[in-house]
Amino acid sequence: MENDRTTTVPSRLRVGFVGAGFMAYVHSRAARAAGAAIAGIASSSPGSAARARDRLGVEQAYASAQDLIEDDMIDVIHVCTPNATHLALAEAALKAGKHVVCEKPLATNVQDATHLAELAAEAGTVATVPFVYRFHPMVREARERIASGQTGLISTIQGSYLQDWLLSRNDDNWRVDAGVGGPSRAFADIGSHLCDLLEFVTGDRITRVGALSRTLFSGRANHKDVQTEDLVAAVFATKNGAVGNLLVSQVAPGRKNRLMIEISGSESSVQFDQEAPETLWLGKRAGSQLLIRDPDALSPEAARLSVLPAGHPQGYQDAFNAFAADTYAAINGDHRDGLPTFRDGLRSAVLTESIIQSSKRAEWIDVPAVKELEGTHQ
């Protein structure tokens, strides 16, 4: 069945990937679906890049990231490497005049994130961060209902992002290491998605936070002195007067990727659950309902992102594909609503640092505003 609401663009941009792990697979599928040429890949070694080239169907493996970045035939660089490397790689790509897609967190501290956001604004190239949960159609539907006033005056916001992949002491990953992943783990890794989604859907900003964090294991299989947190709980206030709470955990048994937000207003509540992304719960004092994704019954932006007919489930990869397509559309001069830029990556770094400070000091922290940046795309 044909669908004229496609997010795919006709571009044949030539894209290159730095990194050969899970996220490189996701990015490459999204780039291919968006019509790009999968032109190059670099990894931690030439051998790793060659193996990834064969697995992902990439045209060429490069001996180093710098060789890839400096190739004039490459239009867009996707940075899919450990967090601590993002600054140097994104900076090099921007200085080489490339468009950049950098995995989150954009950087491991506010200073570095600010530098990258300013550099991107000065360069005038498109620079995005894959806060891809924005691209679920039912997230856009929730956003439109709140923006149009259907939900009424927002009073409370709650959200959680729960996983269990680091539940055991024997579970380990490079993200556990603060030197590689940064000073925050659970919040920087998944709490960043949660807060981005809460602010994106409500159009509001978190202004004060009070947080608690816990590290359950001081040592794991390959890391003997773990400094990064396994979970974070926080209460917060927003610019428009709402109050809220959030819970982020990578040690919640049975929860694989449960990102949930619920926003309550004077007229109704809306709830989105990423593990059931085809529906939106609309809570009312009388007659609550479960709205099922149907392009013919959704707001324009939600319908645009509904690339499959009703009854044909869409999920995470579809959201990622839409993010890549909108990034490439922006490169071609078609700037679509809701595209997360490096400025959004900076906002995430500011929130992460505020959460860390609040937990360490055991006190409320005022969240600094992100200053306006000069530049076309930021």
Side-chain angles (χ1 to χ4, degrees), residues 7 13 20 29 114 117-118 124 128 149 177 181 248 252 254 260 264-265 329 340 365:
T7 58
L13 292 168
R29 286 193 292 265
T114 299
E118 290 176 343
T128 62
D177 185 344
V248 175
M260 184 280 294
S264 297
I365 294 291

Short mmCIF file of all heavy atoms in Angstrom, two decimals, residues 7 13 20 29 114 117-118 124 128 149 177 181 248 252 254 260 264-265 329 340 365:
data_model
loop_
_atom_site.label_atom_id
_atom_site.label_comp_id
_atom_site.label_asym_id
_atom_site.label_seq_id
_atom_site.Cartn_x
_atom_site.Cartn_y
_atom_site.Cartn_z
N THR A 7 8.80 9.85 5.24
CA THR A 7 9.82 10.79 5.72
C THR A 7 11.11 10.65 4.91
O THR A 7 12.09 11.31 5.18
CB THR A 7 10.15 10.51 7.20
OG1 THR A 7 10.59 9.15 7.34
CG2 THR A 7 8.94 10.74 8.09
N LEU A 13 23.06 11.71 -0.30
CA LEU A 13 24.16 12.14 0.53
C LEU A 13 25.08 10.96 0.80
O LEU A 13 24.64 9.82 0.95
CB LEU A 13 23.64 12.69 1.86
CG LEU A 13 22.86 14.00 1.82
CD1 LEU A 13 22.16 14.24 3.15
CD2 LEU A 13 23.80 15.16 1.49
N ALA A 20 31.83 1.00 15.36
CA ALA A 20 31.33 -0.21 14.70
C ALA A 20 30.50 -1.09 15.63
O ALA A 20 30.33 -2.28 15.39
CB ALA A 20 32.51 -1.02 14.15
N ARG A 29 21.29 1.48 9.23
CA ARG A 29 19.97 1.10 8.71
C ARG A 29 19.12 2.35 8.47
O ARG A 29 18.41 2.45 7.46
CB ARG A 29 19.26 0.16 9.69
CG ARG A 29 19.80 -1.24 9.72
CD ARG A 29 18.87 -2.19 10.45
NE ARG A 29 18.81 -1.93 11.88
CZ ARG A 29 19.54 -2.55 12.79
NH1 ARG A 29 20.41 -3.47 12.43
NH2 ARG A 29 19.40 -2.25 14.08
N THR A 114 28.96 22.90 25.31
CA THR A 114 28.81 24.30 24.88
C THR A 114 29.73 24.59 23.70
O THR A 114 29.32 25.22 22.72
CB THR A 114 29.14 25.25 26.05
OG1 THR A 114 28.24 25.00 27.12
CG2 THR A 114 29.02 26.70 25.61
N ALA A 117 28.23 23.00 20.55
CA ALA A 117 27.03 23.71 20.09
C ALA A 117 27.41 25.03 19.43
O ALA A 117 26.85 25.41 18.38
CB ALA A 117 26.08 23.93 21.25
N GLU A 118 28.34 25.75 20.02
CA GLU A 118 28.78 27.03 19.44
C GLU A 118 29.52 26.81 18.13
O GLU A 118 29.34 27.56 17.16
CB GLU A 118 29.67 27.77 20.44
CG GLU A 118 28.90 28.29 21.65
CD GLU A 118 29.79 28.95 22.68
OE1 GLU A 118 31.03 28.73 22.63
OE2 GLU A 118 29.26 29.68 23.54
N GLY A 124 27.52 26.61 10.57
CA GLY A 124 26.35 26.71 9.71
C GLY A 124 25.95 25.40 9.06
O GLY A 124 25.12 25.36 8.16
N THR A 128 23.11 17.28 14.57
CA THR A 128 21.97 16.74 15.32
C THR A 128 22.40 15.66 16.30
O THR A 128 23.46 15.05 16.17
CB THR A 128 20.90 16.17 14.37
OG1 THR A 128 21.46 15.09 13.60
CG2 THR A 128 20.37 17.24 13.42
N GLY A 149 -3.91 22.97 23.63
CA GLY A 149 -4.73 23.27 24.81
C GLY A 149 -5.73 22.20 25.18
O GLY A 149 -6.49 22.38 26.15
N ASP A 177 32.60 2.75 33.15
CA ASP A 177 33.85 3.44 33.41
C ASP A 177 33.68 4.94 33.20
O ASP A 177 33.44 5.40 32.08
CB ASP A 177 34.92 2.89 32.46
CG ASP A 177 36.31 3.44 32.73
OD1 ASP A 177 36.43 4.47 33.43
OD2 ASP A 177 37.28 2.85 32.22
N GLY A 181 32.83 6.67 29.74
CA GLY A 181 31.43 7.03 29.58
C GLY A 181 31.06 8.39 30.14
O GLY A 181 30.00 8.93 29.81
N VAL A 248 14.98 6.86 36.94
CA VAL A 248 15.82 6.28 35.89
C VAL A 248 16.61 5.13 36.50
O VAL A 248 17.25 5.31 37.55
CB VAL A 248 16.79 7.34 35.32
CG1 VAL A 248 17.75 6.71 34.33
CG2 VAL A 248 16.02 8.47 34.68
N ALA A 252 16.38 -2.53 36.87
CA ALA A 252 14.97 -2.79 37.15
C ALA A 252 14.56 -4.11 36.47
O ALA A 252 14.33 -4.12 35.26
CB ALA A 252 14.10 -1.64 36.65
N GLY A 254 13.19 -7.08 34.51
CA GLY A 254 12.08 -7.27 33.59
C GLY A 254 11.81 -6.09 32.67
O GLY A 254 11.13 -6.25 31.65
N MET A 260 8.55 5.87 29.85
CA MET A 260 7.15 6.25 30.02
C MET A 260 7.05 7.69 30.49
O MET A 260 7.82 8.12 31.35
CB MET A 260 6.49 5.33 31.05
CG MET A 260 4.98 5.57 31.25
SD MET A 260 4.55 6.98 32.33
CE MET A 260 5.18 6.42 33.90
N SER A 264 -0.32 15.44 33.21
CA SER A 264 -1.70 15.68 33.64
C SER A 264 -2.01 17.16 33.62
O SER A 264 -1.26 17.97 34.18
CB SER A 264 -1.93 15.13 35.05
OG SER A 264 -1.74 13.73 35.07
N GLY A 265 -3.14 17.51 32.98
CA GLY A 265 -3.59 18.89 32.93
C GLY A 265 -4.96 19.04 33.54
O GLY A 265 -5.54 18.09 34.08
N ALA A 329 17.01 15.83 5.38
CA ALA A 329 16.14 16.83 4.76
C ALA A 329 16.63 18.24 5.10
O ALA A 329 16.64 19.14 4.25
CB ALA A 329 14.69 16.64 5.21
N PRO A 340 16.16 17.43 16.71
CA PRO A 340 17.04 17.72 17.85
C PRO A 340 18.46 18.07 17.39
O PRO A 340 19.13 17.27 16.73
CB PRO A 340 17.02 16.42 18.65
CG PRO A 340 16.71 15.36 17.65
CD PRO A 340 15.87 15.98 16.58
N ILE A 365 18.83 22.22 43.15
CA ILE A 365 19.71 22.92 42.21
C ILE A 365 18.83 23.66 41.20
O ILE A 365 17.89 23.08 40.64
CB ILE A 365 20.64 21.95 41.48
CG1 ILE A 365 21.63 21.30 42.46
CG2 ILE A 365 21.38 22.64 40.33
CD1 ILE A 365 22.68 22.24 43.02
#
